[in-house]
């Protein structure tokens, strides 16, 4: 037999290699896997476009439908043309005002005083007198329910160090941070055209402009970071002061709360609770709406309709299209095995392998009736240098990527059990065993 044909020289070689392996293992220093627990970087909303349904015709200059939890775009029409947004620009003023609350700079009970500049601004509002002081909450109610320009300028001066121009610079900076396009541009807190501003900014050129996609991205971020805005925007009417004879009437006719209002009930839409209307001669009639049904929230934008009712009728088309044709589909669950990568090999451990499961689940916005075969799954482990014991249950050891119709999401694959570092003697004998195993495989397969 070939085995007994070994020469003494070959046997000596085997023993020599074993001794070398033992020497090396005796000098092994403790090796730990690299830290894989770093939080994933924050990403912009996934605005890749899902099926758009070319049969949908919208009577507006531009329009878009976005799913609110993912940022997936379900329909768009001319969504990247910069247009005047009118009072939809106040969504940025709202965002910055609520951000100041979250950062602890102010509370809802903080006092806000309107300057002469704020009290004199034209357009919607004109309810607040010069030097009148209201609580932050009441001033915000005027801005978000009644689209009050005076309240918006009061916030701009409060947050911008006394200057609406400085505040407009803050708006532009925040637009970049939120991932809005280079075309997004603000010159005031109100969205008024430059010709209508009594004190137009000297250091900021142009007019306030946004694309429909920009407006949707802004709404997406408001709902993600400051969802409390809906507690204001869903209110159909409210008295600014208890002593007022008449309430402020929300310009948003589509609010679900208007379902019993004789004037607006034909526009009321189940689940609709925001977000911001806007109109000027230059902008036409605009509306950023949001509604939630069956666990899915949509954001819609229409810009440049010709009449006030039309902006709501076209929004209804967009919402109906989104809710009738799309759904939220959970595709992976947390703690789920991935068939293509159930285990990974581990170096220097008591065990040589560890099972993997998903850290979090993944959900997608899909066409209704989408099949599992419509999804593409790929999984891969981390580089070998990071697959070294000791391993703690929950350590990230790989990634799984799922793609569906332009949407792409990833989840961490984590260890489903601990793997202790092996002792040197265990590693020594494993090394010897592997060495002889590989050698005998070579002999068996040799000529």
């Amino acid at each position: 037999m070939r085995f007994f044909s070994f020469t003494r020289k070959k046997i000596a070689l085997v023993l020599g290699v074993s001794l070398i392996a033992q020497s090396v293992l005796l000098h092994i220093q403790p090796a730990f896997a690299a830290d894989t627990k770093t939080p994933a970087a924050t990403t912009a909303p996934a605005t890749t476009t899902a099926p758009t349904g070319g049969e949908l015709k919208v009577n507006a200059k531009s329009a878009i439908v976005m799913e609110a939890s993912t940022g997936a775009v379900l329909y768009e029409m001319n969504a990247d043309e910069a247009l005047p947004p009118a009072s939809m620009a106040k969504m940025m003023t709202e965002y910055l005002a609520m951000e100041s609350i979250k950062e602890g700079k102010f509370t809802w009970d903080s006092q806000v005083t309107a300057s002469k500049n704020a009290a004199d601004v034209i357009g919607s509002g004109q309810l607040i007198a010069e030097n009148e002081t209201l609580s932050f909450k009441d001033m915000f109610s005027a801005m978000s329910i009644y689209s009050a320009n005076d309240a918006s300028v009061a916030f701009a001066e409060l947050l911008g160090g006394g200057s609406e121009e400085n505040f407009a610079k803050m708006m532009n900076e925040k637009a970049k941070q939120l991932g809005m396009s280079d075309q997004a541009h603000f010159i005031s807190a109100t969205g008024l055209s430059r010709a209508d501003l009594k004190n137009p900014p000297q250091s900021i050129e142009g007019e306030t402009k946004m694309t429909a996609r920009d407006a949707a991205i802004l709404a997406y971020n408001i709902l993600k970071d400051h969802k409390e805005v809906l507690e204001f925007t869903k209110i159909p009417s409210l008295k600014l002061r208890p002593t007022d004879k008449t309430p402020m009437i929300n310009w948003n006719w589509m609010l679900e709360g208007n379902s019993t209002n004789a004037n607006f009930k034909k526009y009321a839409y189940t689940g609709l609770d925001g977000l911001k209307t806007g109109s000027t001669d230059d902008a036409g009639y605009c509306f950023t709406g949001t509604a939630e049904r069956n666990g899915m929230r949509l954001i819609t934008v229409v810009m440049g309709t010709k009449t006030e009712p039309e902006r709501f009728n076209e929004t209804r088309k967009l919402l109906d299209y989104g809710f009738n044709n799309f759904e939220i589909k959970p595709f992976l669950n947390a703690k789920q095995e991935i068939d293509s990568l159930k285990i990974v090999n581990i170096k220097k451990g008591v065990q040589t392998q560890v099972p993997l499961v998903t850290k979090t689940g993944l959900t997608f916005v899909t066409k209704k009736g989408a099949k599992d075969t419509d999804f593409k799954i790929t999984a891969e482990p981390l580089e070998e240098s990071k697959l070294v014991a000791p391993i703690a249950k929950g350590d990230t050891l790989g990634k799984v990527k799922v793609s569906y119709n332009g949407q792409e999401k990833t989840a961490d694959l984590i260890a489903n059990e601990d793997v202790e570092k092996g002792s040197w003697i265990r590693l020594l004998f494993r090394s010897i065993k592997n060495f002889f195993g590989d050698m005998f495989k070579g002999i068996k397969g040799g000529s």
Side-chain angles (χ1 to χ4, degrees):
M1 294 176 63
R2 186 176 290 111
F3 177 81
F4 293 103
S5 67
F6 279 150
T7 65
R8 292 180 178 177
K9 183 179 293 187
K10 290 181 178 178
I11 293 173
L13 176 62
V14 171
L15 294 174
V17 171
S18 298
L19 289 171
I20 292 171
Q22 179 177 356
S23 175
V24 171
L25 287 166
L26 286 170
H27 291 84
I28 290 175
Q29 297 298 319
F32 295 89
D35 181 13
T36 56
K37 298 180 180 178
T38 303
T42 302
T43 57
T47 53
T48 50
T49 304
T52 57
E55 74 280 1
L56 183 60
K57 302 297 182 183
V58 181
N59 297 318
K61 289 182 179 180
S62 64
I64 197 167
V65 182
M66 178 183 286
E67 195 281 320
S69 68
T70 63
V73 175
L74 312 183
Y75 171 88
E76 62 180 87
M77 183 195 74
N78 199 30
D80 294 311
E81 181 182 356
L83 296 167
S87 287
M88 292 197 309
K90 294 187 179 88
M91 289 191 293
M92 183 63 83
T93 306
E94 291 172 341
Y95 185 100
L96 290 169
M98 289 183 290
E99 184 177 65
S100 73
I101 293 283
K102 181 175 285 189
E103 292 176 347
K105 296 177 181 177
F106 299 96
T107 71
W108 290 109
D109 293 325
S110 295
Q111 300 298 293
V112 183
T113 300
S115 67
K116 177 177 174 53
N117 183 52
D120 288 348
V121 66
I122 66 170
S124 57
Q126 301 185 13
L127 295 177
I128 304 170
E130 179 184 352
N131 294 325
E132 182 176 3
T133 298
L134 297 174
S135 71
F136 200 105
K137 183 178 181 180
D138 288 342
M139 196 72 80
F140 193 89
S141 295
M143 177 171 62
S144 57
I145 297 171
Y146 199 53
S147 195
N149 288 335
D150 40 14
S152 302
V153 174
F155 275 121
E157 293 177 343
L158 176 70
L159 302 175
S163 166
E164 184 179 7
E165 187 164 344
N166 286 342
F167 183 75
K169 293 177 182 178
M170 293 169 58
M171 297 171 80
N172 287 316
E173 182 60 33
K174 183 58 66 174
K176 295 177 183 177
Q177 295 174 14
L178 298 181
M180 297 168 68
S181 76
D182 292 340
Q183 299 182 88
H185 184 65
F186 299 90
I187 67 169
S188 72
T190 60
L192 286 171
S193 302
R194 182 177 289 270
D196 292 326
L197 297 173
K198 289 189 175 181
N199 298 295
Q202 301 301 308
S203 62
I204 308 175
E205 298 180 349
E207 298 282 355
T208 295
K209 294 282 183 74
M210 281 196 293
T211 68
R213 194 184 309 277
D214 287 328
I217 290 173
L218 178 52
Y220 165 89
N221 281 282
I222 289 175
L223 294 172
K224 176 173 64 73
D225 299 336
H226 306 292
K227 199 171 182 179
E228 65 272 18
V229 71
L230 298 177
E231 296 302 312
F232 296 87
T233 60
K234 71 181 182 182
I235 299 172
S237 64
L238 181 74
K239 287 186 177 181
L240 179 59
R241 312 166 191 83
T243 56
D244 287 352
K245 292 183 178 180
T246 58
M248 303 178 292
I249 305 298
N250 199 317
W251 294 89
N252 180 359
W253 299 354
M254 293 187 76
L255 290 174
E256 182 177 10
N258 281 329
S259 59
T260 58
N261 184 306
N263 294 321
F264 300 139
K265 64 181 181 180
K266 69 177 180 179
Y267 298 100
Y269 193 88
T270 302
L272 194 139
D273 49 7
L275 195 57
K276 191 71 197 73
T277 58
S279 64
T280 62
D281 290 342
D282 292 334
Y285 292 91
C286 308
F287 179 43
T288 297
T290 183
E292 184 173 12
R293 289 183 178 180
N294 300 319
M296 182 170 73
R297 178 173 287 279
L298 299 180
I299 295 165
T300 60
V301 180
V302 293
M303 299 184 74
T305 68
K306 294 181 180 179
T307 68
E308 190 166 13
E310 193 173 39
R311 66 180 169 189
F312 301 122
N313 292 332
E314 299 310 298
T315 294
R316 180 179 295 274
K317 289 182 187 178
L318 294 174
L319 290 170
D320 284 347
Y321 173 77
F323 286 125
N324 291 339
N325 290 282
F326 296 88
E327 63 183 350
I328 299 289
K329 182 179 177 67
F331 186 69
L332 292 180
N333 299 316
K335 310 302 182 185
Q336 180 176 332
E337 284 187 338
I338 301 299
D339 288 341
S340 61
L341 191 62
K342 292 184 177 182
I343 58 172
V344 291
N345 295 325
I346 299 297
K347 295 179 180 180
K348 300 181 182 179
V350 172
Q351 295 87 29
T352 59
Q353 295 179 326
V354 63
L356 298 181
V357 294
T358 54
K359 182 176 183 179
T360 58
L362 293 178
T363 59
F364 288 82
V365 184
T366 70
K367 275 282 203 178
K368 287 187 175 179
K371 301 175 182 178
D372 286 352
T373 53
D374 296 331
F375 295 79
K376 180 182 178 182
I377 305 176
T378 56
E380 59 182 22
L382 299 182
E383 55 267 32
E384 287 188 10
S385 63
K386 295 183 178 180
L387 303 178
V388 181
I391 299 292
K393 184 177 181 179
D395 281 352
T396 299
L397 301 180
K399 296 278 186 183
V400 59
K401 180 172 68 176
V402 182
S403 302
Y404 168 80
N405 204 33
Q407 300 176 62
E408 188 174 282
K409 296 187 177 185
T410 60
D412 288 341
L413 292 174
I414 59 175
N416 202 30
E417 59 186 41
D418 297 330
V419 179
E420 295 181 1
K421 181 174 174 60
S423 65
W424 71 267
I425 192 67
R426 179 189 293 270
L427 299 180
L428 169 63
F429 280 111
R430 181 182 295 165
S431 177
I432 294 171
K433 177 183 176 182
N434 291 341
F435 176 82
F436 280 109
D438 292 343
M439 184 185 69
F440 287 142
K441 285 180 184 178
I443 293 170
K444 187 174 180 180
S447 58

